[in-house]
Structures are given as C-alpha cells and as structure tokens.
Amino acid sequence: MEMKQPMMMNREDGGEQEKEQESKENGRLVADSVVEKGQKSCSGPGQVSNGYPSTSPQSPREGAGAGTDRGSTPGAFRTLVVQQTSLDPPRETWSKKMDFLLSVIGYAVDLGNVWRFPYVCYQNGGGAFLLPYLLMAVFGGVPLFYMELALGQFHRSGCISIWKHICPIFKGIGFAICIIALYIAFYYNTIMAWALYYLLSSFRATLPWTTCNNKWNTPNCTHYLSTDFNVSWTDNSISPAEEFYIRQVLQVHLSPGLHQLGWVSWQLALCLLFIFTVVYFSIWKGVKTSGKVVWVTATFPYLVLLILLIRGATLPGAWRGVVFYLKPDWRKLLTTSVWLDAAAQIFFSLGPGFGVLLAFASYNPFHNNCYKDALVTSSVNCLTSFLSGFVIFTVLGYMAEMRQQGVETVAKDAGPSLLFIIYAEAIANMPAATFFSIIFFLMIIMLGLDSTFAGLEGVITAMLDEFPHLLARRREWFVLGLVCVCYLGALSTLTYGGAFVVKLFEEYATGPAVITVVFLEVIAVSWFYGTTRFCNDVQLMLGFAPGVFWRVCWVAICPCFLLFIIGSFLAFPPEVRLFDYLYPFWTTVLGYCIGVSSFICVPSYMVYHLVTTKGTFKQRLLKSITPEASGSSGPQRDTIVITNAV
C-alpha cells in the first residue's frame, strides 16, 4: 500500500544553477532546505525527485500572482511534491471481496457442521436446542467473530506480531495459537485421508461396504439391502459398512490401544500425502491462489448438500428422522449440559481464537466493512449447520425404517462414524449409489480442505509478519517445510491405532487450550487495550463505532461465556471412549499435557518479556501492558520517504 502526502518546499530560480542532492535508495531522508525570508510557497503539478509522479495536483495560483505559471517564469517559486512510500513490500490483498468471504465461510463451515451439530441437537432436546444455540451465538460467538475480524483488518498483522499494538505482554497467545494449529493439522487432515480412501473405493459398480464376502468381514456381518426384507437385524449384527470402516480403512482391530499403535497403514499414508500436496499448491503463493481455490471448495459442498437433501427427502421413513431431529424437549433446557453444548458448538463452529480470522482480515482493504462480513458469514455458518441436520436425519429415518428400529438406536454413533458408517451405508442402499458416494465423499474432502487452508494460512501469516526479513522472500520454502512437519506429525494417526490418537487430540489437545487462549485474548483487548480505544479503531475504519451491545458483550458477556465453557470442562471432564476402547487414566494425563504444551507459551512469554524489559519492575509492568507507539495502525503505517532538492 502506498500513502501519498504532499510536502511543499520553496525554491528560488534567480539565475543560479540548480543543485540536486541524490537520494539514498530505500533510505529515510529528511528535508533540510533553508526557507529564505520573504519566500512564499506555491504549488504546481509535476514530478517528484524520486521518480514518482505527483498524484496530488495543487492549485497553480498564489496570492497576487494568481494565474501566473510559476514553473516557467524566472524568479518564481516552485513546489516540490514528495510522495510517501513504504520501505517494506506492499502487503498482499484479496483479489476480490468474494475471495475473502468464501475463504471465511469455507473455514467456518467444516466437518463439524455436518456431523457434530445434528448429533448435539437431537441429544439436547431437538428443536428446543435451537434456543440456547441462538442465544449463545448472539451473545458469545458472533461478538468474538466480529472482534477478531476488526482486529486483523485494523492492525494488518498475524496472531503473533499484532500483540505489540494491543498488549505486548500477551504476545505468547500468538505462539500458543500457532502450536494449537499444528496439533489440529496433525489429526484433522487424517479424516480427509479416510474420506479419500472411501472416494477411491467408490469407483466401482458395487460399493465394497455393501457385501459381507470380503476378506475383512466377520461371521457377524449382516448383509441386507432395502429389498432384503427376510434378513433380520439383531443386537449382534454388524453392518458391512461398519466392518469396512473399522477393519479395512482404520484396521483398528490390529491395535489393542494407545499403548501399542502398530504399523503405519501405507494406503492411508499415500492418501494423506495426496491431501497435503493439494494443500501445498493451494496456499504456497498466498491468498491470491487460495482465494481462487475456495471458489470450488467452498461452493461445491452446498451443491452436494442440496442434492442429498432432495434425495433424502424422497426416501421412505425420512419424515421419522426429521421429526426426531426437530421435536422439542423443553425439559432439557433446565439442564446445564444443554447450555454447555450450545456454547461449545457455536464457539468451535465459528472458530475464533485460531488466528485464521486475524490472518484473513489482515489482507482486507482498510475501510472494508468487516461488521457486515461478520454478520453475513456467521449467519451462513449457522444456517448451514441447521440444513445439515435435515440432510443427516432424513437418511437416519430411512435407515431406521429399513431396520425396523427407532431413530435413536440408529443415531447412536457420533462424530466421523456418523458419516463413514451410517451415511455410507445409507448411500449404498440408494439407487445410483456410486454417484452419490462419489459426490458425498468429495464434499467431505472439500469441507476439510477449506479449514486446512485457513488453519495453515493463520500460522504462515503469523510467522511471516513476525519474521519478515527472514521469511518474506522465502514463503514457498517455509510453506513446504510447514506442510512436511504437519505430515510427519500426522504419521501417528495413520497407524492401526491412529483413530485412538485422533480422538485424543480432538478431546484434549485443542479444545480446552484454545478456549483458554480466546478468554485471555478477550481480556487483553477489552480490559487492557480498552473497548473505547478498540471502538475508536473500528470507527476509523468503518465510519461508525460499535454500539453499546457490542461493548457489553466484549467486556462482560464474552468472558463469562468462555469461563462457563472452561469451568464446565474442568468440573466434568469427558469420559473418552472409541468403539469398545475406554481410554485409561494415563491417556487423560497425556491429553492434558499436550494441551498445556501449547498454553504454556502464554505465561512463559510473560516472564520472558518482564525479564528482558529494562527499568524497575513497575516500569517493566507498565511498558508490558502499553501498546507500542508506532504508526502501524491503519493507513498511517507506511514510512515517509522525503527526498530533497535545492
């Protein structure tokens, strides 16, 4: 970005030979010409001495000499217009506004919208759950979403370097966010590798999870289709889709638990390698390339959801699933767990605190209306979750109709199992099963890719802004190294017991840590930086300041919202179970250690900053909570380069 500021300097043409002082390349020069007594300043169009054309033409008239061409008349005064230019390379920006919106929507709408929201909804009162969900969104999720977009757009920095402009002692939050993002990349992309395995297995006339005569099947495998009414379903029956997922894709039966993970599955290793290859070539050049990729990855899932919704609504028994999904149970609103699940769902769905919103917004024009963007993207996210519930439960009602069971029995699986077992089995029983299987698992992959693009871009932006001289010109190599680290870190999730590792990371390594980090972020912005200063920043960008509602949310409601989630998690730690494996106590300790390993960056950096800052302890503490004085906020951030000519 270049900011232009005209400087007027007087110069005399009294027959003396003109002298020019050479400007130092990329250096800061201060005008040192002497203004003689009696000289008058005037302005005129021309070209500045550093070669840039003047973009701020001035009036050629001055006082009594109005209408005289001062540039050609001997003895006249001429104006030297100097352009303000940044010494640093201009910051990359989005090619189009839609690139940004689709990137944010693609990040917020992920796999959790498809499998977690429908499950949480029917577990917590069906339609009655929508009330606490909407309340938590309005008073907690959307204000946090808006705050991060505004911070990133105003300070134009990643999640590490932004803290010197807010509250320097909290800079450890940025490092913690980067570590959390790495942990997510270690397991999240493995789920896409599973989906890719399913996608490749779908290119055949008969889907492999529809039959029981494969090498991985057991005697309990019960093969049935919608036309096999003579086949009875018992409590010991195992569907071919479940055995394909557990015994062929995951091969989890070859691992007794986390204490013995077994070998790496070479099929999944190749699938994950392909996923990371796509990720690398989508983000290696920055938002200019990833902004184009999301036009496909963010829009295609909506097309597939619409197709699956229409197909699901025409299946027999679909109405049973919809009734089960939306039938309200108002008594459950009296339980704490419903409100906790609503708060956790909206928080992890919108995704503040992962550094992504800061990074994406930092590439926006300074006066972009991020307030409108926050409302639009968060609304799209919530509506997508609600729509996904119909897509899932029409199929669950169909499965219940086939098995002659209740929907609650069929819907006992949550998480990835809901997609890879129940939904995969339902697709296999549809006409044109191959087509629906291909587009469904392609949708799963694209939903995951958007979130991976965003998560890694948050880390990349943070590191490039923090170490610009080291990494700015080596982005491609840095991204390659980051992707390689993520792939190596994900190898443990590709073992026979890799599904246990994925569950461990999901439950302990990221959730509590990122909620605590966001809590500290809100405290730092609202209480240390100050809502008044923050609202003034927003007014400078948008032309209007946030209202009382937003101020109250940032100061009081959002911290209480986050404390409620943290306190509930600590008071009622989840009992982690996957299939028939109950996680032992030592795995809980291991999970908390992984979570603390990221959060420990916050107090560690506080101690480091206080130790390395000069002065008395009071002076150090005061300097640590005071934003660094710099012109790096908004349009005033560029360095003025003044070149002088006599």
Side-chain angles (χ1 to χ4, degrees):
M1 176 185 296
E2 285 186 341
M3 310 308 301
K4 302 171 178 62
Q5 174 179 339
M7 302 285 295
M8 301 183 64
M9 301 174 56
N10 296 331
R11 119 182 225 188
E12 185 175 3
D13 257 350
E16 297 182 359
Q17 187 178 4
E18 291 185 347
K19 299 179 182 179
E20 289 187 354
Q21 179 181 355
E22 295 184 359
S23 61
K24 299 179 181 179
E25 185 177 2
N26 292 331
R28 181 191 300 237
L29 302 178
V30 180
D32 56 357
S33 61
V34 178
V35 181
E36 306 240 354
K37 186 177 181 179
Q39 290 180 340
K40 298 180 180 180
S41 62
C42 68
S43 57
Q47 190 174 27
V48 299
S49 60
N50 61 356
Y52 287 94
S54 170
T55 57
S56 301
Q58 306 293 329
S59 170
R61 302 177 180 177
E62 183 223 353
T68 304
D69 187 356
R70 302 286 183 180
S72 59
T73 305
F77 302 107
R78 290 186 298 184
T79 301
L80 180 64
V81 181
V82 181
Q83 188 176 27
Q84 176 178 332
T85 307
S86 173
L87 297 180
D88 298 325
R91 188 173 186 84
E92 188 178 16
T93 57
W94 299 97
S95 299
K96 297 179 181 178
K97 176 66 175 287
M98 279 302 297
D99 292 357
F100 166 71
L101 291 177
L102 289 176
S103 296
V104 175
I105 291 173
Y107 160 67
V109 178
D110 64 350
L111 299 176
N113 294 75
V114 178
W115 79 50
R116 194 173 190 275
F117 177 84
Y119 178 80
V120 171
C121 185
Y122 89 78
Q123 282 282 85
N124 291 282
F129 176 75
L130 298 178
L131 176 62
Y133 179 76
L134 291 177
L135 289 176
M136 291 296 179
V138 171
F139 291 99
V142 177
L144 291 172
F145 197 87
Y146 178 26
M147 183 188 74
E148 285 214 351
L149 287 182
L151 284 173
Q153 183 171 304
F154 184 82
H155 296 287
R156 300 178 66 80
S157 299
C159 62
I160 298 178
S161 57
I162 194 174
W163 289 102
K164 65 184 178 182
H165 309 307
I166 299 175
C167 189
I169 200 172
F170 284 97
K171 191 175 182 178
I173 290 177
F175 292 104
I177 288 174
C178 291
I179 295 176
I180 292 172
L182 287 179
Y183 288 157
I184 294 175
F186 289 168
Y187 77 87
Y188 189 82
N189 296 280
T190 300
I191 300 175
M192 284 187 286
W194 300 345
L196 180 58
Y197 191 101
Y198 269 85
L199 177 63
L200 296 177
S201 301
S202 300
F203 288 95
R204 57 185 70 181
T206 302
L207 298 177
W209 55 87
T210 59
T211 60
C212 288
N213 55 358
N214 304 289
K215 61 180 181 180
W216 58 80
N217 293 125
T218 64
N220 289 329
C221 179
T222 303
H223 169 245
Y224 68 96
L225 295 174
S226 55
T227 55
D228 296 334
F229 297 107
N230 295 328
V231 177
S232 60
W233 183 265
T234 65
D235 293 336
N236 295 326
S237 298
I238 302 177
S239 67
E242 183 174 353
E243 291 200 342
F244 178 79
Y245 176 60
I246 294 176
R247 301 178 63 85
Q248 175 63 13
V249 180
L250 303 182
Q251 302 183 63
V252 74
H253 64 290
L254 301 177
S255 171
L258 281 171
H259 61 283
Q260 188 176 341
L261 295 177
W263 297 99
V264 173
S265 170
W266 66 268
Q267 297 98 326
L268 293 180
L270 291 178
C271 290
L272 186 63
L273 180 62
F274 178 81
I275 293 293
F276 273 117
T277 302
V278 174
V279 169
Y280 174 73
F281 285 107
S282 298
I283 65 175
W284 70 320
K285 292 292 186 181
V287 295
K288 295 289 187 183
T289 55
S290 63
K292 297 296 181 291
V293 176
V294 294
W295 280 82
V296 177
T297 58
T299 57
F300 180 77
Y302 285 96
L303 176 62
V304 177
L305 284 176
L306 181 61
I307 294 174
L308 293 177
L309 177 62
I310 296 174
R311 183 68 187 97
T314 60
L315 294 173
W319 63 272
R320 295 177 57 186
V322 173
V323 170
F324 185 79
Y325 173 46
L326 295 180
K327 184 179 180 180
D329 185 357
W330 300 106
R331 294 173 299 177
K332 289 200 172 185
L333 296 182
L334 302 176
T335 61
T336 307
S337 61
V338 172
W339 296 87
L340 172 62
D341 286 343
Q345 173 62 29
I346 193 63
F347 175 82
F348 287 110
S349 181
L350 292 177
F354 292 91
V356 174
L357 301 177
L358 290 174
F360 280 172
S362 71
Y363 299 113
N364 275 336
F366 183 73
H367 295 292
N368 173 67
N369 192 343
C370 58
Y371 171 70
K372 182 180 178 181
D373 295 342
L375 296 181
V376 170
T377 52
S378 56
S379 299
V380 170
N381 176 72
C382 295
L383 291 175
T384 303
S385 298
F386 188 62
L387 174 66
S388 299
F390 288 97
V391 175
I392 295 297
F393 274 92
T394 52
V395 171
L396 292 180
Y398 167 62
M399 294 299 298
E401 184 81 10
M402 287 180 55
R403 294 183 181 179
Q404 299 300 314
Q405 294 178 323
V407 180
E408 65 279 1
T409 304
V410 177
K412 67 181 185 301
D413 292 317
S417 298
L418 186 63
L419 302 180
F420 293 111
I421 297 178
I422 301 298
Y423 213 93
E425 184 177 0
I427 288 176
N429 290 318
M430 296 179 185
T434 299
F435 168 75
F436 285 109
S437 178
I438 290 173
I439 64 170
F440 176 73
F441 290 110
L442 195 58
M443 178 193 73
I444 297 300
I445 294 172
M446 290 191 177
L447 285 172
L449 283 176
D450 287 334
S451 298
T452 298
F453 295 161
L456 293 184
E457 186 60 51
V459 177
I460 295 165
T461 299
M463 300 303 292
L464 264 61
D465 287 346
E466 181 66 13
F467 308 104
H469 301 293
L470 179 63
L471 301 175
R473 298 183 180 275
R474 303 178 178 88
R475 177 187 171 98
E476 293 86 354
W477 290 104
F478 174 70
V479 175
L480 178 61
L482 178 64
V483 169
C484 290
V485 169
C486 293
Y487 182 78
L488 294 176
L491 288 179
S492 62
T493 65
L494 304 177
T495 58
Y496 299 147
F500 302 137
V501 181
V502 170
K503 187 71 172 178
L504 182 72
F505 271 109
E506 185 181 8
E507 292 291 339
Y508 293 107
T510 57
V514 76
I515 295 174
T516 308
V517 163
V518 177
F519 171 74
L520 294 178
E521 179 183 321
V522 174
I523 295 297
V525 173
S526 301
W527 295 4
F528 287 86
Y529 187 70
T531 53
T532 301
R533 182 184 299 177
F534 176 59
C535 291
N536 290 338
D537 295 344
V538 176
Q539 185 172 16
L540 181 62
M541 286 192 303
L542 308 183
F544 59 89
V548 176
F549 168 77
W550 300 104
R551 296 170 185 254
V552 173
C553 286
W554 291 326
V555 171
I557 298 179
C558 287
C560 294
F561 166 79
L562 295 168
L563 271 180
F564 173 64
I565 303 176
I566 296 171
S568 300
F569 185 87
L570 295 176
F572 309 102
E575 181 185 62
V576 184
R577 177 189 295 271
L578 182 64
F579 306 126
D580 295 328
Y581 179 71
L582 179 64
Y583 283 62
F585 177 75
W586 68 268
T587 61
T588 304
V589 176
L590 176 62
Y592 278 117
C593 289
I594 297 175
V596 171
S597 67
S598 59
F599 177 74
I600 199 66
C601 294
V602 180
S604 298
Y605 187 84
M606 289 181 175
V607 174
Y608 167 78
H609 194 275
L610 289 173
V611 170
T612 56
T613 304
K614 297 180 181 180
T616 63
F617 180 76
K618 183 178 180 180
Q619 292 173 333
R620 296 179 183 183
L621 189 60
L622 184 61
K623 188 175 181 180
S624 298
I625 62 176
T626 304
E628 294 183 7
S630 66
S632 60
S633 297
Q636 293 83 16
R637 66 180 301 167
D638 291 318
T639 306
I640 300 175
V641 178
I642 303 176
T643 55
N644 175 35
V646 178

